[in-house]
Amino acid sequence: MIIVIMAAGYAARFGAIKQLVPVGPCGEIIADYAIKEAQELGFIKVLMITREELVEQFKVHFRKQNYTIAIEYKCQDKYIPENINLYGTGVALLTAIPT
């Protein structure tokens, strides 16, 4: 089983990169809660759908968490055909399709 986490949004109204804002008592971000639960339930991999400029920040954060589950990153903007100007959940899910 693979868990897909969609974290490519721009959070323009939020005013910060909400995917990386600490919300937990030990600096956890929202994705940490999903990953911890997926790991406990026996998932074998996390597929993070994000943007190119966020990948390294996620990697730095997740390295500190000592997860045993594999985390793979796919950049949503690399899977949008050039002639289409779309973003959102549909494109994020298309990104999750194995290539």
Coordinates of all heavy atoms in Angstrom, one line a residue:
M1 N 0.8 -1.2 0.0 CA 0.0 0.0 0.0 C 0.9 1.2 0.0 O 1.9 1.3 0.7 CB -0.9 0.0 1.2 CG -2.0 -1.1 1.2 SD -3.1 -0.9 2.6 CE -2.1 -1.1 4.0
I2 N 0.4 2.2 -0.7 CA 1.2 3.5 -0.9 C 0.2 4.6 -0.4 O -0.9 4.6 -0.9 CB 1.6 3.7 -2.3 CG1 2.6 2.6 -2.7 CG2 2.3 5.1 -2.4 CD1 3.0 2.7 -4.2
I3 N 0.7 5.5 0.4 CA -0.1 6.7 0.7 C 0.3 7.9 -0.1 O 1.5 8.0 -0.4 CB 0.0 7.0 2.2 CG1 -0.9 8.3 2.6 CG2 1.5 7.3 2.6 CD1 -1.0 8.5 4.0
V4 N -0.6 8.6 -0.7 CA -0.3 9.7 -1.5 C -0.7 11.0 -0.7 O -1.8 11.1 -0.2 CB -1.1 9.7 -2.8 CG1 -0.9 11.0 -3.6 CG2 -0.8 8.5 -3.6
I5 N 0.3 11.9 -0.6 CA 0.1 13.1 0.1 C 0.2 14.3 -0.9 O 1.3 14.4 -1.5 CB 1.1 13.3 1.3 CG1 0.8 12.2 2.4 CG2 0.9 14.7 1.9 CD1 1.8 12.2 3.5
M6 N -0.8 15.0 -1.0 CA -0.8 16.1 -2.0 C -0.4 17.4 -1.3 O -1.1 17.9 -0.4 CB -2.1 16.3 -2.7 CG -2.5 15.0 -3.5 SD -4.1 15.1 -4.3 CE -5.2 14.9 -3.0
A7 N 0.8 17.9 -1.6 CA 1.3 19.1 -0.9 C 2.0 20.1 -1.9 O 3.1 20.5 -1.7 CB 2.3 18.6 0.2
A8 N 1.3 20.4 -2.9 CA 1.8 21.3 -3.9 C 1.2 22.7 -4.0 O 1.6 23.5 -4.7 CB 1.7 20.6 -5.3
G9 N 0.2 22.9 -3.1 CA -0.5 24.1 -3.2 C 0.3 25.3 -2.8 O 1.3 25.2 -2.2
Y10 N -0.1 26.5 -3.3 CA 0.6 27.7 -3.1 C 0.2 28.4 -1.8 O 0.9 29.3 -1.3 CB 0.4 28.7 -4.3 CG 1.2 28.2 -5.4 CD1 0.7 27.4 -6.4 CD2 2.6 28.6 -5.5 CE1 1.4 27.0 -7.5 CE2 3.3 28.1 -6.6 CZ 2.8 27.4 -7.6 OH 3.5 26.9 -8.6
A11 N -0.9 28.1 -1.2 CA -1.4 28.7 0.1 C -1.3 30.2 0.1 O -0.9 30.9 1.0 CB -0.5 28.1 1.3
A12 N -1.7 30.8 -1.0 CA -1.7 32.3 -1.2 C -2.4 33.0 -0.1 O -2.0 34.0 0.4 CB -2.2 32.7 -2.6
R13 N -3.6 32.5 0.2 CA -4.4 33.2 1.3 C -3.8 33.0 2.7 O -4.0 33.8 3.6 CB -5.8 32.7 1.2 CG -6.6 33.2 0.0 CD -8.0 32.7 0.0 NE -7.9 31.2 0.1 CZ -8.5 30.4 -0.8 NH1 -9.1 30.8 -1.8 NH2 -8.4 29.1 -0.6
F14 N -3.1 31.9 2.9 CA -2.6 31.5 4.2 C -1.4 32.4 4.5 O -1.1 32.8 5.6 CB -2.1 30.1 4.2 CG -1.7 29.6 5.5 CD1 -2.6 29.3 6.5 CD2 -0.4 29.3 5.8 CE1 -2.2 28.8 7.8 CE2 0.1 28.8 7.0 CZ -0.9 28.6 8.0
G15 N -0.6 32.8 3.5 CA 0.5 33.7 3.7 C 1.8 33.1 4.0 O 2.8 33.7 4.2
A16 N 1.9 31.7 3.9 CA 3.1 31.0 4.2 C 3.0 29.6 3.5 O 1.9 29.3 3.1 CB 3.4 30.8 5.7
I17 N 4.0 28.9 3.5 CA 4.0 27.5 2.9 C 3.4 26.6 4.0 O 4.0 26.1 4.8 CB 5.4 27.0 2.5 CG1 6.0 28.0 1.5 CG2 5.3 25.6 1.9 CD1 7.4 27.7 1.2
K18 N 2.0 26.5 4.0 CA 1.3 25.8 5.0 C 1.7 24.4 5.2 O 1.6 23.8 6.3 CB -0.2 26.0 4.9 CG -0.8 25.3 3.7 CD -2.3 25.6 3.7 CE -2.9 25.0 2.4 NZ -4.3 25.4 2.3
Q19 N 2.2 23.7 4.1 CA 2.6 22.3 4.2 C 3.8 22.1 5.1 O 4.0 21.0 5.6 CB 3.0 21.8 2.8 CG 1.9 21.9 1.7 CD 1.9 23.2 1.0 OE1 2.2 24.3 1.5 NE2 1.6 23.1 -0.3
L20 N 4.5 23.2 5.4 CA 5.7 23.1 6.2 C 5.6 23.9 7.5 O 6.6 23.9 8.2 CB 7.0 23.6 5.4 CG 7.3 22.6 4.2 CD1 8.2 23.3 3.2 CD2 8.0 21.4 4.8
V21 N 4.5 24.4 7.8 CA 4.3 25.1 9.1 C 4.1 24.1 10.2 O 3.3 23.2 10.2 CB 3.1 26.0 9.0 CG1 2.7 26.6 10.3 CG2 3.3 27.1 8.0
P22 N 4.9 24.2 11.3 CA 4.8 23.3 12.4 C 3.4 23.5 13.1 O 3.0 24.6 13.3 CB 5.9 23.8 13.4 CG 6.9 24.5 12.5 CD 6.0 25.2 11.4
V23 N 2.8 22.4 13.4 CA 1.5 22.4 14.0 C 1.4 21.6 15.3 O 0.5 21.7 16.1 CB 0.3 22.0 13.1 CG1 0.1 23.0 11.9 CG2 0.5 20.6 12.6
G24 N 2.4 20.7 15.5 CA 2.5 19.8 16.6 C 3.4 20.3 17.7 O 4.2 21.2 17.5
P25 N 3.3 19.7 18.9 CA 4.1 20.1 20.0 C 5.6 19.9 19.8 O 6.4 20.6 20.5 CB 3.6 19.2 21.2 CG 3.0 18.0 20.5 CD 2.4 18.5 19.2
C26 N 6.0 19.0 18.9 CA 7.4 18.8 18.7 C 7.8 19.3 17.3 O 8.8 18.7 16.7 CB 7.8 17.3 18.9 SG 7.5 16.8 20.5
G27 N 7.1 20.2 16.7 CA 7.4 20.8 15.4 C 6.9 19.9 14.2 O 7.3 20.1 13.1
E28 N 5.9 19.1 14.5 CA 5.3 18.2 13.4 C 4.6 19.1 12.4 O 4.0 20.1 12.8 CB 4.3 17.2 14.0 CG 4.9 16.2 14.9 CD 4.9 16.6 16.4 OE1 4.6 17.8 16.7 OE2 5.1 15.7 17.2
I29 N 4.7 18.7 11.2 CA 3.9 19.4 10.2 C 2.7 18.4 9.9 O 2.7 17.3 10.4 CB 4.7 19.7 8.9 CG1 5.2 18.4 8.2 CG2 5.8 20.6 9.1 CD1 5.9 18.5 6.9
I30 N 1.7 18.9 9.2 CA 0.5 18.1 9.0 C 0.8 16.8 8.4 O 0.3 15.7 8.8 CB -0.5 18.9 8.1 CG1 -1.1 20.1 8.9 CG2 -1.7 18.0 7.7 CD1 -1.9 21.0 8.1
A31 N 1.7 16.7 7.4 CA 2.1 15.5 6.7 C 2.6 14.4 7.7 O 2.5 13.2 7.5 CB 3.0 15.7 5.6
D32 N 3.3 14.9 8.8 CA 3.9 14.0 9.7 C 2.8 13.0 10.3 O 3.1 11.9 10.6 CB 4.6 14.7 10.9 CG 5.9 15.3 10.4 OD1 6.7 14.6 9.7 OD2 6.3 16.4 10.9
Y33 N 1.7 13.6 10.6 CA 0.6 12.8 11.2 C 0.1 11.7 10.3 O -0.1 10.5 10.7 CB -0.5 13.7 11.7 CG -0.1 14.6 12.8 CD1 0.3 15.9 12.6 CD2 0.0 14.1 14.1 CE1 0.7 16.7 13.6 CE2 0.4 14.9 15.2 CZ 0.7 16.2 14.9 OH 1.2 17.0 16.0
A34 N 0.0 12.0 9.0 CA -0.4 11.0 8.0 C 0.7 10.0 7.8 O 0.4 8.8 7.7 CB -0.8 11.7 6.7
I35 N 1.9 10.4 7.8 CA 3.0 9.4 7.6 C 3.2 8.5 8.8 O 3.3 7.3 8.6 CB 4.3 10.2 7.3 CG1 4.2 10.9 5.9 CG2 5.5 9.3 7.3 CD1 5.4 11.9 5.7
K36 N 3.1 9.0 9.9 CA 3.2 8.2 11.1 C 2.1 7.1 11.2 O 2.4 6.0 11.5 CB 3.2 9.0 12.4 CG 4.4 9.8 12.6 CD 4.3 10.7 13.8 CE 5.6 11.6 13.9 NZ 5.5 12.6 15.0
E37 N 0.9 7.5 10.9 CA -0.2 6.6 10.9 C 0.0 5.6 9.8 O -0.3 4.4 10.0 CB -1.5 7.3 10.8 CG -2.7 6.4 11.0 CD -4.0 7.2 11.2 OE1 -4.0 8.3 11.7 OE2 -5.0 6.6 10.9
A38 N 0.3 6.0 8.6 CA 0.6 5.1 7.5 C 1.6 4.1 7.8 O 1.5 2.9 7.5 CB 0.9 5.9 6.2
Q39 N 2.7 4.5 8.4 CA 3.8 3.6 8.8 C 3.3 2.6 9.8 O 3.6 1.4 9.7 CB 4.9 4.5 9.4 CG 6.2 3.7 9.7 CD 7.3 4.7 10.1 OE1 8.0 5.2 9.2 NE2 7.4 5.0 11.4
E40 N 2.5 3.0 10.8 CA 1.9 2.1 11.8 C 1.0 1.1 11.2 O 0.8 -0.1 11.6 CB 1.2 2.8 12.9 CG 2.2 3.6 13.8 CD 1.5 4.6 14.7 OE1 0.2 4.5 14.8 OE2 2.2 5.3 15.4
L41 N 0.3 1.5 10.1 CA -0.7 0.6 9.4 C -0.1 -0.3 8.4 O -0.8 -1.1 7.8 CB -1.8 1.4 8.8 CG -2.7 2.2 9.8 CD1 -3.6 3.2 9.1 CD2 -3.5 1.2 10.6
G42 N 1.2 -0.2 8.2 CA 1.9 -1.1 7.3 C 2.1 -0.7 5.8 O 2.4 -1.5 5.0
F43 N 1.8 0.6 5.6 CA 2.1 1.1 4.2 C 3.6 1.0 3.9 O 4.4 1.0 4.8 CB 1.7 2.6 4.2 CG 0.2 2.8 4.0 CD1 -0.7 2.6 5.1 CD2 -0.4 3.2 2.8 CE1 -2.0 2.8 5.0 CE2 -1.7 3.4 2.7 CZ -2.6 3.2 3.8
I44 N 3.9 0.8 2.7 CA 5.3 0.6 2.3 C 6.0 1.8 1.8 O 7.2 1.9 1.7 CB 5.4 -0.6 1.3 CG1 4.7 -0.2 0.0 CG2 5.0 -1.9 1.9 CD1 5.0 -1.1 -1.2
K45 N 5.2 2.8 1.3 CA 5.8 4.0 0.7 C 4.8 5.2 0.9 O 3.6 5.1 0.8 CB 6.1 3.8 -0.7 CG 6.7 4.9 -1.4 CD 7.3 4.6 -2.8 CE 6.3 4.2 -3.8 NZ 6.9 4.1 -5.2
V46 N 5.5 6.4 1.0 CA 4.8 7.7 0.9 C 5.1 8.3 -0.4 O 6.3 8.3 -0.8 CB 5.2 8.6 2.0 CG1 4.6 10.0 1.9 CG2 4.9 8.0 3.4
L47 N 4.1 8.7 -1.2 CA 4.3 9.5 -2.4 C 3.9 10.9 -2.1 O 2.7 11.2 -2.0 CB 3.5 8.9 -3.6 CG 3.6 9.6 -4.9 CD1 5.1 9.7 -5.4 CD2 2.8 8.9 -5.9
M48 N 4.9 11.8 -2.1 CA 4.6 13.2 -1.8 C 4.5 13.9 -3.2 O 5.5 13.9 -3.9 CB 5.8 13.9 -1.1 CG 6.0 13.5 0.4 SD 4.7 14.1 1.5 CE 4.9 15.8 1.3
I49 N 3.3 14.4 -3.5 CA 3.1 15.2 -4.7 C 3.3 16.7 -4.2 O 2.6 17.2 -3.4 CB 1.7 15.0 -5.2 CG1 1.4 13.6 -5.4 CG2 1.5 15.8 -6.5 CD1 2.2 12.8 -6.4
T50 N 4.3 17.3 -4.8 CA 4.7 18.7 -4.3 C 5.2 19.5 -5.5 O 5.0 19.1 -6.7 CB 5.6 18.6 -3.1 OG1 5.7 19.9 -2.6 CG2 7.0 18.1 -3.5
R51 N 5.8 20.6 -5.2 CA 6.4 21.5 -6.2 C 8.0 21.3 -6.0 O 8.5 21.1 -5.0 CB 6.1 22.9 -6.0 CG 4.6 23.2 -6.1 CD 4.3 24.7 -6.1 NE 5.0 25.5 -5.1 CZ 4.6 25.9 -3.9 NH1 3.4 25.4 -3.5 NH2 5.3 26.7 -3.2
E52 N 8.6 21.6 -7.1 CA 10.1 21.4 -7.2 C 10.8 22.2 -6.1 O 11.7 21.7 -5.4 CB 10.6 21.9 -8.5 CG 12.1 21.7 -8.7 CD 12.5 20.3 -9.0 OE1 11.8 19.6 -9.8 OE2 13.6 19.9 -8.6
E53 N 10.3 23.4 -5.8 CA 11.0 24.3 -4.8 C 10.7 23.8 -3.4 O 11.4 24.3 -2.5 CB 10.6 25.8 -5.0 CG 9.1 26.0 -4.8 CD 8.3 26.0 -6.1 OE1 8.7 25.4 -7.1 OE2 7.2 26.6 -6.1
L54 N 9.8 22.9 -3.1 CA 9.6 22.4 -1.8 C 10.2 21.1 -1.5 O 10.3 20.7 -0.3 CB 8.1 22.3 -1.6 CG 7.2 23.5 -1.7 CD1 5.8 23.2 -1.4 CD2 7.8 24.6 -0.8
V55 N 10.7 20.4 -2.5 CA 11.2 19.0 -2.3 C 12.4 19.0 -1.2 O 12.3 18.2 -0.3 CB 11.7 18.4 -3.6 CG1 12.5 17.1 -3.3 CG2 10.6 18.1 -4.5
E56 N 13.3 19.8 -1.4 CA 14.5 19.8 -0.4 C 14.0 20.2 1.0 O 14.5 19.6 2.0 CB 15.6 20.8 -0.9 CG 16.9 20.6 -0.1 CD 17.5 19.2 -0.1 OE1 17.3 18.5 -1.2 OE2 18.0 18.8 0.9
Q57 N 13.1 21.1 1.1 CA 12.6 21.4 2.5 C 11.9 20.2 3.1 O 12.1 20.0 4.3 CB 11.7 22.6 2.4 CG 12.4 23.9 2.0 CD 11.4 25.0 1.8 OE1 10.8 25.5 2.7 NE2 11.3 25.5 0.5
F58 N 11.1 19.5 2.3 CA 10.5 18.3 2.9 C 11.5 17.3 3.3 O 11.4 16.6 4.3 CB 9.5 17.7 1.9 CG 8.1 18.3 1.9 CD1 7.6 19.0 0.7 CD2 7.3 18.3 3.0 CE1 6.4 19.5 0.7 CE2 6.1 18.9 3.0 CZ 5.6 19.5 1.8
K59 N 12.5 17.1 2.4 CA 13.6 16.1 2.7 C 14.3 16.4 4.0 O 14.5 15.5 4.8 CB 14.6 16.0 1.5 CG 14.0 15.3 0.3 CD 15.1 15.3 -0.8 CE 14.6 14.5 -2.0 NZ 15.6 14.4 -3.1
V60 N 14.6 17.7 4.2 CA 15.3 18.1 5.4 C 14.4 17.8 6.6 O 14.9 17.2 7.6 CB 15.7 19.6 5.3 CG1 16.1 20.1 6.7 CG2 16.8 19.8 4.3
H61 N 13.1 18.2 6.5 CA 12.2 18.0 7.6 C 12.1 16.5 7.9 O 12.2 16.0 9.1 CB 10.9 18.6 7.3 CG 9.9 18.3 8.4 ND1 9.8 19.0 9.6 CD2 8.9 17.3 8.5 CE1 8.8 18.5 10.3 NE2 8.3 17.5 9.7
F62 N 11.8 15.7 6.9 CA 11.5 14.2 7.1 C 12.8 13.5 7.6 O 12.6 12.5 8.3 CB 10.9 13.6 5.9 CG 9.5 14.1 5.6 CD1 9.2 14.3 4.2 CD2 8.6 14.4 6.6 CE1 7.9 14.7 3.9 CE2 7.4 14.9 6.3 CZ 7.0 15.0 4.9
R63 N 13.9 13.9 7.2 CA 15.2 13.2 7.7 C 15.2 13.3 9.3 O 15.7 12.4 9.9 CB 16.4 13.9 7.2 CG 16.9 13.1 5.9 CD 18.2 13.7 5.4 NE 17.8 14.9 4.8 CZ 18.2 15.5 3.7 NH1 19.2 15.1 3.1 NH2 17.7 16.5 3.1
K64 N 14.8 14.4 9.8 CA 14.8 14.6 11.3 C 13.8 13.7 12.0 O 13.9 13.5 13.2 CB 14.5 16.0 11.6 CG 15.5 17.0 11.1 CD 15.0 18.4 11.4 CE 16.0 19.4 10.8 NZ 15.4 20.8 10.9
Q65 N 12.8 13.1 11.2 CA 11.7 12.3 11.8 C 12.1 10.8 12.0 O 11.4 10.1 12.7 CB 10.4 12.5 11.0 CG 10.0 13.9 10.8 CD 9.9 14.7 12.1 OE1 9.3 14.2 13.0 NE2 10.4 15.9 12.1
N66 N 13.2 10.4 11.4 CA 13.6 9.0 11.5 C 12.5 8.0 11.0 O 12.3 7.0 11.7 CB 14.0 8.7 12.9 CG 15.2 9.5 13.3 OD1 16.2 9.6 12.5 ND2 15.2 10.0 14.5
Y67 N 11.9 8.3 9.9 CA 10.9 7.4 9.4 C 11.5 6.1 8.8 O 12.6 6.2 8.3 CB 10.0 8.0 8.3 CG 9.1 9.1 8.8 CD1 9.2 10.4 8.3 CD2 8.2 8.8 9.8 CE1 8.3 11.4 8.8 CE2 7.4 9.8 10.3 CZ 7.4 11.1 9.8 OH 6.6 12.1 10.3
T68 N 10.8 5.0 9.0 CA 11.3 3.8 8.3 C 10.6 3.5 7.0 O 11.0 2.7 6.2 CB 11.1 2.5 9.3 OG1 9.7 2.5 9.6 CG2 11.9 2.7 10.5
I69 N 9.6 4.2 6.7 CA 8.8 4.1 5.5 C 9.6 4.9 4.4 O 10.1 6.0 4.7 CB 7.4 4.6 5.7 CG1 6.5 4.2 4.5 CG2 7.3 6.1 6.0 CD1 5.0 4.5 4.8
A70 N 9.6 4.4 3.2 CA 10.2 5.1 2.1 C 9.3 6.3 1.7 O 8.1 6.2 1.7 CB 10.3 4.1 0.9
I71 N 10.0 7.4 1.3 CA 9.3 8.6 0.9 C 9.8 8.9 -0.5 O 11.0 9.1 -0.7 CB 9.5 9.8 1.8 CG1 9.0 9.4 3.2 CG2 8.8 11.0 1.3 CD1 9.3 10.5 4.3
E72 N 8.9 9.0 -1.5 CA 9.2 9.3 -2.9 C 8.6 10.7 -3.2 O 7.5 11.0 -2.7 CB 8.7 8.3 -3.8 CG 9.0 8.6 -5.3 CD 8.3 7.5 -6.2 OE1 8.1 6.4 -5.8 OE2 8.1 7.9 -7.4
Y73 N 9.3 11.5 -4.0 CA 8.7 12.8 -4.3 C 8.5 12.9 -5.8 O 9.3 12.4 -6.6 CB 9.8 13.9 -3.9 CG 10.1 13.9 -2.5 CD1 11.1 13.1 -2.0 CD2 9.4 14.7 -1.6 CE1 11.4 13.0 -0.6 CE2 9.7 14.7 -0.2 CZ 10.7 13.8 0.2 OH 11.0 13.8 1.6
K74 N 7.3 13.5 -6.2 CA 7.0 13.8 -7.5 C 6.6 15.2 -7.6 O 5.8 15.6 -6.7 CB 5.9 12.8 -8.1 CG 6.4 11.5 -8.5 CD 5.3 10.8 -9.3 CE 5.9 9.7 -10.1 NZ 4.8 9.0 -10.9
C75 N 7.0 15.9 -8.6 CA 6.7 17.3 -8.7 C 5.5 17.5 -9.7 O 5.6 17.2 -10.8 CB 7.9 18.1 -9.2 SG 9.2 18.1 -8.0
Q76 N 4.4 18.0 -9.1 CA 3.2 18.1 -9.9 C 3.4 18.9 -11.2 O 2.9 18.6 -12.2 CB 2.1 18.8 -9.0 CG 0.8 19.0 -9.7 CD -0.2 19.6 -8.7 OE1 -0.2 19.2 -7.5 NE2 -1.1 20.4 -9.2
D77 N 4.2 20.0 -11.1 CA 4.3 20.9 -12.3 C 5.0 20.2 -13.4 O 4.9 20.6 -14.6 CB 5.0 22.2 -11.9 CG 6.2 22.0 -11.1 OD1 6.5 20.9 -10.7 OD2 6.9 23.0 -10.9
K78 N 5.7 19.1 -13.2 CA 6.4 18.4 -14.3 C 5.5 17.5 -15.0 O 5.9 16.9 -16.1 CB 7.6 17.6 -13.7 CG 8.7 18.5 -13.2 CD 9.9 17.7 -12.8 CE 11.0 18.6 -12.4 NZ 12.2 17.9 -12.3
Y79 N 4.3 17.2 -14.6 CA 3.4 16.3 -15.2 C 2.2 17.0 -15.9 O 1.3 16.3 -16.4 CB 2.9 15.3 -14.2 CG 4.0 14.4 -13.7 CD1 4.8 14.8 -12.6 CD2 4.3 13.2 -14.3 CE1 5.8 14.0 -12.2 CE2 5.3 12.4 -13.9 CZ 6.1 12.8 -12.9 OH 7.1 12.0 -12.5
I80 N 2.3 18.3 -16.0 CA 1.2 19.0 -16.7 C 1.6 19.3 -18.1 O 2.7 19.8 -18.4 CB 0.9 20.4 -16.0 CG1 0.6 20.2 -14.5 CG2 -0.2 21.2 -16.7 CD1 0.5 21.5 -13.7
P81 N 0.8 18.9 -19.1 CA 1.2 19.1 -20.5 C 1.4 20.6 -20.7 O 0.7 21.5 -20.1 CB 0.0 18.6 -21.3 CG -0.7 17.6 -20.3 CD -0.4 18.1 -18.9
E82 N 2.3 21.0 -21.5 CA 2.7 22.4 -21.8 C 1.5 23.2 -22.2 O 1.4 24.4 -21.9 CB 3.8 22.5 -22.7 CG 5.1 22.0 -22.2 CD 6.3 22.1 -23.2 OE1 6.2 23.0 -24.1 OE2 7.2 21.4 -23.0
N83 N 0.6 22.7 -23.0 CA -0.5 23.5 -23.5 C -1.7 23.6 -22.6 O -2.7 24.1 -23.0 CB -0.9 22.9 -24.9 CG -1.4 21.5 -24.8 OD1 -1.1 20.8 -23.8 ND2 -2.1 21.0 -25.8
I84 N -1.6 23.1 -21.4 CA -2.7 23.1 -20.5 C -2.3 23.9 -19.2 O -1.2 23.6 -18.6 CB -3.1 21.7 -20.1 CG1 -3.7 20.9 -21.3 CG2 -4.2 21.7 -19.0 CD1 -4.1 19.5 -21.1
N85 N -3.1 24.8 -18.8 CA -2.8 25.6 -17.6 C -3.7 25.2 -16.5 O -4.7 25.9 -16.2 CB -3.0 27.1 -18.0 CG -2.5 28.0 -16.8 OD1 -1.8 27.5 -15.9 ND2 -2.8 29.2 -16.9
L86 N -3.4 24.0 -15.9 CA -4.2 23.5 -14.8 C -3.4 23.2 -13.6 O -2.2 22.8 -13.7 CB -4.9 22.2 -15.3 CG -5.9 22.2 -16.4 CD1 -6.3 20.8 -16.7 CD2 -7.1 23.0 -15.9
Y87 N -4.0 23.4 -12.5 CA -3.4 22.9 -11.2 C -4.6 22.4 -10.4 O -5.7 22.6 -10.7 CB -2.7 24.1 -10.5 CG -1.5 24.5 -11.2 CD1 -1.4 25.5 -12.1 CD2 -0.3 23.8 -10.9 CE1 -0.3 25.8 -12.8 CE2 0.9 24.2 -11.5 CZ 0.9 25.2 -12.4 OH 2.1 25.5 -13.1
G88 N -4.3 21.8 -9.3 CA -5.3 21.3 -8.4 C -5.3 19.8 -8.2 O -4.4 19.1 -8.6
T89 N -6.3 19.4 -7.5 CA -6.4 18.0 -7.1 C -6.3 17.0 -8.3 O -5.7 16.0 -8.2 CB -7.7 17.7 -6.3 OG1 -7.7 18.6 -5.2 CG2 -7.8 16.3 -5.8
G90 N -7.0 17.3 -9.4 CA -7.0 16.4 -10.5 C -5.6 16.2 -11.1 O -5.2 15.1 -11.4
V91 N -4.9 17.3 -11.2 CA -3.5 17.2 -11.7 C -2.6 16.5 -10.7 O -1.7 15.7 -11.1 CB -3.0 18.6 -12.1 CG1 -1.5 18.5 -12.5 CG2 -3.8 19.2 -13.2
A92 N -2.8 16.7 -9.4 CA -2.0 16.0 -8.4 C -2.3 14.5 -8.5 O -1.3 13.7 -8.4 CB -2.4 16.5 -7.0
L93 N -3.5 14.1 -8.7 CA -3.7 12.7 -8.8 C -3.2 12.1 -10.1 O -2.7 11.0 -10.1 CB -5.3 12.4 -8.8 CG -5.9 12.7 -7.4 CD1 -7.4 12.6 -7.4 CD2 -5.3 11.8 -6.3
L94 N -3.2 12.8 -11.2 CA -2.5 12.4 -12.4 C -1.0 12.2 -12.2 O -0.4 11.3 -12.7 CB -2.8 13.4 -13.6 CG -4.2 13.4 -14.1 CD1 -4.3 14.5 -15.2 CD2 -4.5 12.1 -14.8
T95 N -0.4 13.0 -11.4 CA 1.0 12.9 -11.1 C 1.3 11.6 -10.4 O 2.4 11.1 -10.5 CB 1.4 14.1 -10.2 OG1 1.1 15.3 -10.8 CG2 2.9 14.1 -9.9
A96 N 0.4 11.1 -9.6 CA 0.6 9.9 -8.8 C 0.6 8.6 -9.7 O 1.1 7.6 -9.3 CB -0.5 9.7 -7.8
I97 N 0.1 8.7 -10.9 CA 0.1 7.6 -11.8 C 1.6 7.2 -12.1 O 2.3 8.0 -12.6 CB -0.7 7.8 -13.1 CG1 -2.1 8.1 -12.7 CG2 -0.5 6.7 -14.1 CD1 -3.0 8.6 -13.9
P98 N 1.9 5.9 -12.0 CA 3.3 5.5 -12.3 C 3.6 5.7 -13.7 O 2.8 5.6 -14.6 CB 3.3 4.0 -12.0 CG 2.1 3.8 -11.1 CD 1.1 4.8 -11.5
T99 N 4.9 6.2 -14.0 CA 5.4 6.4 -15.3 C 6.3 5.4 -15.8 O 6.9 4.6 -15.1 CB 6.0 7.8 -15.4 OG1 7.1 7.9 -14.5 CG2 5.0 8.9 -15.2

